[in-house]
Amino acid sequence: MHIPDPREREVARRYFAPFLKHFQGRKSVVDIASGQGHFLELLKEAGIPGTGVELDVELAQACRQRGLQVVQGNFFEYLKTVSPGTYDAAHVSHIIEHFTPVQVEELFALLHRVLPPGAPMVILTPNIANIRRAVGDFWRDPTHVRPYPISAVSKLLRRTGWEVVESGEHTDRKPSLVRRLSYALRNALFGRYWVGDDVYVIARRAENTPPA
C-alpha cells in the first residue's frame, strides 16, 4: 500500500509544472499511467480537463477520492476502446521505460488513433546519459525494461505518425553554484555524464499522417 508523502507531492508538482504550458487551451487531456495524480491536480487547478488511466486499483481509488477523473485499467486495452477525438492531448510520464520498443510503438500508435491532428504529447523518461542513472538509479527498479534516449523516442514517434517539436534534459532540482561548477569540471575531464536526471520529448500528432 502506498502512503502519501507531502514532500513527494511537492517535488512532483515542481517537476511537472514546466510542461503545463503545452496543455493550455486543451479540452480533454489523457494522462497515461497517472499514478498518484499529481499532474492531474495541476491540470485541474489550471482549469484543464484531464483523465488519468491507472492500472493500480488503490492509486486509482485514492485519486478519485480527491476529485480526480481516473479510469482504472490497462491503458493499452483502454485506448483500443476510445473513440477518435475523445482526447486532444496526452501526457506520458515515466512509463515507457517499463515496456519493450514494440509495446512503446503500440502505445504511440494507439494515441495517434485517439488524438486529432496537431494534438500535443509530452513524454518524460529517465536520462540514461546521466551517470548516476546509468550505474544505479535506473536499474534499481526491477520493473524497468530498458532506457529510452531522446533518439530512440524520436524514432518510435516518427514511425507512428508523430512529429518531434522539442526535446531536452529535465530535472526538478536546481543545483547550487558550487555543484554546477563541480559538474562542469567533471564533464570537461571525464565526458558529459553529469547531466539532467530525465529527458523530455514534446511531440505533435502529424496532420493526416497514418502510422508507418
Side-chain angles (χ1 to χ4, degrees):
M1 186 175 102
H2 180 80
I3 301 175
D5 183 339
R7 294 168 300 179
E8 190 176 86
R9 178 176 179 270
E10 288 307 310
V11 169
R13 289 168 64 86
R14 185 169 67 246
Y15 179 86
F16 291 130
F19 300 100
L20 197 60
K21 62 185 179 184
H22 297 286
F23 300 94
Q24 294 294 339
R26 294 292 155 177
K27 297 179 180 179
S28 186
V29 179
V30 61
D31 186 11
I32 300 298
S34 52
Q36 298 176 61
H38 299 310
F39 183 71
L40 289 174
E41 278 188 339
L42 287 175
L43 288 176
K44 186 176 181 179
E45 290 170 9
I48 304 169
T51 299
V53 187
E54 174 54 51
L55 183 62
D56 188 283
V57 175
E58 290 187 358
L59 286 176
Q61 290 177 342
C63 286
R64 289 170 183 159
Q65 289 171 359
R66 304 202 318 272
L68 302 174
Q69 179 71 31
V70 177
V71 175
Q72 190 278 314
N74 180 300
F75 56 76
F76 287 101
E77 298 306 315
Y78 172 71
L79 290 173
K80 292 174 184 176
T81 69
V82 174
S83 300
T86 300
Y87 301 108
D88 63 357
H91 180 249
V92 183
S93 176
H94 286 266
I95 190 61
I96 63 172
E97 63 271 15
H98 296 267
F99 294 97
T100 66
V102 171
Q103 292 170 310
V104 174
E105 188 170 342
E106 180 186 5
L107 171 61
F108 291 167
L110 287 169
L111 287 167
H112 181 279
R113 184 189 73 84
V114 170
L115 273 63
M121 175 163 62
V122 174
I123 303 158
L124 289 150
T125 191
N127 186 5
I128 202 63
N130 181 306
I131 194 167
R132 182 169 55 82
R133 290 284 204 207
V135 301
D137 284 2
F138 184 87
W139 302 110
R140 193 170 292 126
D141 186 338
T143 67
H144 281 175
V145 172
R146 58 151 290 171
Y148 286 91
I150 289 173
S151 58
V153 177
S154 299
K155 183 175 181 179
L156 292 172
L157 285 167
R158 287 192 294 269
R159 285 173 58 87
T160 51
W162 293 86
E163 298 172 340
V164 175
V165 176
E166 180 186 336
S167 62
E169 297 174 350
H170 180 59
T171 182
D172 66 285
R173 299 172 298 176
K174 290 186 177 180
S176 65
L177 176 60
V178 172
R179 179 157 294 188
R180 288 201 302 271
L181 291 173
S182 173
Y183 287 171
L185 179 61
R186 292 177 187 178
N187 287 338
L189 293 174
F190 305 113
R192 194 170 181 274
Y193 298 113
W194 284 268
V195 292
D197 293 336
D198 302 317
V199 294
Y200 70 89
V201 178
I202 313 299
R204 177 174 55 220
R205 205 275 209 181
E207 299 284 340
N208 302 318
T209 303

